Amino acid sequence: MEKEKLFTDFPPVSTEKWMEKIIKDLKGADYDKKLVWKTDEGFDVQPFYRAEDLANIPYRNVLPGNFPYVRGNKTKGNMWLVRQDVHVEDADTTNAKLLDIRMKGVDSFGIIYPDGHVPGEEEVERLLNNIRADVMELNFSCDDPYAIIQVIDHLVKKYNRDLDKVKGSLEFCPLSRYSTTGTFYLSEKEDYKTMSKLFIAGGLLPNFQLLTVNGTIFKNSGAGIVSELAFTLAMATDYLTHLTENGHDIDDVAHRFRFHFSVGSDYFMEIAKFRAFRFLWSKVVNAYGVSHADKTKTFIHCSNAEWNKTLYDPYVNMLRTTTESMSAILGGIDSLSVLPFNEVFEKPDEFSERIARNQQLILKGESFFDKVADPASGSYYVENLTTKLIEKAWELFLQVDEKGGYLEAFKQGFIQERVSNEAEKKNSNITLRKMSLLGTNQYPNISEHIDPAGIKPAALTVENNPELLIPYRGAEAFEKIRLKTDAYALKHKRPVAWMFTYGNLAMQKARSQFAGNFFGVAGFDIADNPGFTTVEEGINAAKKTKPDIVVICSSDEEYADIALPVYEALKDRSIVVLA
């Protein structure tokens, strides 16, 4: 029996027909202004895309696991490692924690030693007691990565581990350190020597990444996605050029790079970002003359950006990190560490770390995000975003290359100037509330109060050096105002904004809500009123209540009659403003 084709009754509709319908429905409104999204990344996004928009995409027929790896490194499925970062206090305590979280779903450890501390072999051995280096991924952050790789190399041989199965990375990125501090670990010359030594010392650990190119500094300093892609690519290319010019074979070094990116809240753009970067890196590495396409694969670790996280209404951070994690996973990252919701303002506790772990465990175990390789493939929208990001990032990368590479461009101020301009635009959008940070610049929880003494010092940026990239959070300007109010309220009565609602019901309600939101983000108490029947009634109520601020909320027409009488009656008792 022949199957009935349900769509034969519906004739195809051309793009021209769709456009005719859209233009008609716009009723004279400008198509570009009304429907075309002018992104901050320097390209326009159309209101709809169709199959014909994929025609010029060169990689559209590439399968997962194939060069140029837009669709990911894996031929089947979308497995990623669940990583949790742990700050080392002492070897035995940290070992107990690692063993505990291993049993709770973690399969990748980020082991972070405090600044200035370089552990010896005995200490690392105690820290890794009962942890198999050929089963768990081990990632180390330490001031002396060369010492760490020597220890790891010796220990895996001592315990007779399969060297091909030992996986992990070293958090070593001299250029990102220089970009944020103005200094190298030791010096430019010595750091590049260390880099070469790492590839010699780790030569027998083929699946252990010896450099982690830290691209998180760009997004967390306010940069856009195109800048993030291009500048991270430029840093990595500087490293690649140095290594190959100093006797290292491209086949031996390219696949030993790991990239650390932050993921933000722009859901589809972030999915496209990871796909675009794999394409860009594979093309760059291929240009160095690798012998096999496998050597051009990109290994990406991802963590949530701190830039859009907030002190106030912190549980919203859970929602942010969940959708961001979805973007990263759908974009095909290799490992993910979810930022605990309270990490930006205090030391994470057992509860916040458990929630962070479980967010990605649920995405894997209950939402099955690990089952399908590159689910975004074929999406007209995401494929076009990917292509646009590739084009724009490559253009910017070439500009950096023309200036002599990343380090030279940074010394000339090119990197900082672009990031600063992009950050300033974001700051302006937050101030004007074109960009919403729920609970901070929009819809504050006015019952939430914070004792500023309980906030860790690093929560608020104090440094502003135009010669460096300074990571900060977009919410800080609003938070500083609100924290001042909270500090004042510890010893004084909290300021009250009192709504003088009168007249047109719709307008008084709309303006009282706007004013309540406006003063609420500064930490003021809000006293709303159901609407006064006469101006005199409202004036008498205000005199009795004695609020700090009286906000007149009515319609434009009624303002002409009531604003001046209300102001004259209350100006000596309260600050009177017009909503």
Side-chain angles (χ1 to χ4, degrees), residues 226-238 240-241 277 280-281 283-285 287-288 389-406 409 414-415 418:
V226 167
S227 295
E228 181 185 8
L229 289 170
F231 296 154
T232 304
L233 187 67
M235 278 202 298
T237 304
D238 272 18
L240 208 56
T241 299
F277 189 79
L280 291 165
W281 179 242
K283 289 294 187 179
V284 165
V285 174
Y288 279 78
L389 287 176
I390 289 171
E391 292 171 354
K392 289 296 181 180
W394 186 251
E395 289 175 10
L396 182 56
F397 169 76
L398 291 180
Q399 291 180 45
V400 175
D401 191 56
E402 288 171 1
K403 294 180 181 297
Y406 180 87
F414 176 78
I415 309 288
R418 182 178 173 99

Side-chain angles (χ1 to χ4, degrees), residues 306-482:
E306 293 190 6
W307 190 87
N308 63 330
K309 305 307 181 289
T310 59
L311 306 184
Y312 289 93
D313 219 346
Y315 295 122
V316 177
N317 290 336
M318 293 185 194
L319 304 179
R320 296 182 178 113
T321 54
T322 298
T323 57
E324 291 166 0
S325 297
M326 291 166 67
S327 293
I329 294 164
L330 294 175
I333 50 88
D334 298 288
S335 62
L336 173 66
S337 53
V338 175
L339 188 76
F341 72 89
N342 58 345
E343 185 161 318
V344 295
F345 59 89
E346 65 183 9
K347 182 180 178 181
D349 54 20
E350 185 177 346
F351 172 74
S352 63
E353 289 183 340
R354 178 170 67 86
I355 293 296
R357 277 195 308 273
N358 288 351
Q359 284 172 264
Q360 53 179 319
L361 291 176
I362 289 171
L363 291 175
K364 182 179 287 189
E366 297 186 18
S367 299
F368 306 115
F369 272 44
D370 61 334
K371 302 303 181 187
V372 179
D374 191 27
S377 176
S379 161
Y380 307 150
Y381 178 45
V382 176
E383 294 287 16
N384 275 274
L385 287 182
T386 303
T387 302
K388 290 292 187 182
L389 287 176
I390 289 171
E391 292 171 354
K392 289 296 181 180
W394 186 251
E395 289 175 10
L396 182 56
F397 169 76
L398 291 180
Q399 291 180 45
V400 175
D401 191 56
E402 288 171 1
K403 294 180 181 297
Y406 180 87
L407 183 57
E408 289 304 314
F410 192 89
K411 289 179 178 179
Q412 295 169 32
F414 176 78
I415 309 288
Q416 305 92 307
E417 182 180 5
R418 182 178 173 99
V419 172
S420 176
N421 290 339
E422 292 175 341
E424 192 56 43
K425 186 170 184 179
K426 287 184 178 181
N427 294 341
S428 175
N429 287 341
I430 291 173
T431 301
L432 298 173
R433 293 194 266 198
K434 293 180 180 179
M435 179 186 293
S436 292
L437 292 174
L438 189 66
T440 298
N441 73 337
Q442 290 278 30
Y443 311 113
N445 176 4
I446 59 174
S447 65
E448 180 185 16
H449 305 139
I450 293 178
D451 183 352
I455 302 299
K456 67 181 183 182
L460 299 173
T461 305
V462 294
E463 186 178 6
N464 183 20
N465 188 339
E467 296 182 358
L468 301 175
L469 298 181
I470 305 296
Y472 74 104
R473 291 179 302 103
E476 288 183 23
F478 277 87
E479 289 169 348
K480 287 175 181 177
I481 295 172
R482 192 165 172 182

Side-chain angles (χ1 to χ4, degrees), residues 86-124:
V86 177
H87 291 265
V88 178
E89 296 176 1
D90 65 77
D92 296 324
T93 302
T94 304
N95 172 257
K97 182 170 184 175
L98 294 177
L99 292 173
D100 177 57
I101 63 177
R102 181 185 64 177
M103 301 303 294
K104 294 175 178 176
V106 171
D107 40 30
S108 174
F109 296 140
I111 300 168
I112 303 171
Y113 285 97
D115 291 344
H117 180 70
V118 179
E121 182 173 323
E122 186 272 337
E123 181 180 345
V124 175

Side-chain angles (χ1 to χ4, degrees), residues 298-310:
T298 311
F299 298 91
I300 299 175
H301 172 63
C302 182
S303 57
N304 302 100
E306 293 190 6
W307 190 87
N308 63 330
K309 305 307 181 289
T310 59

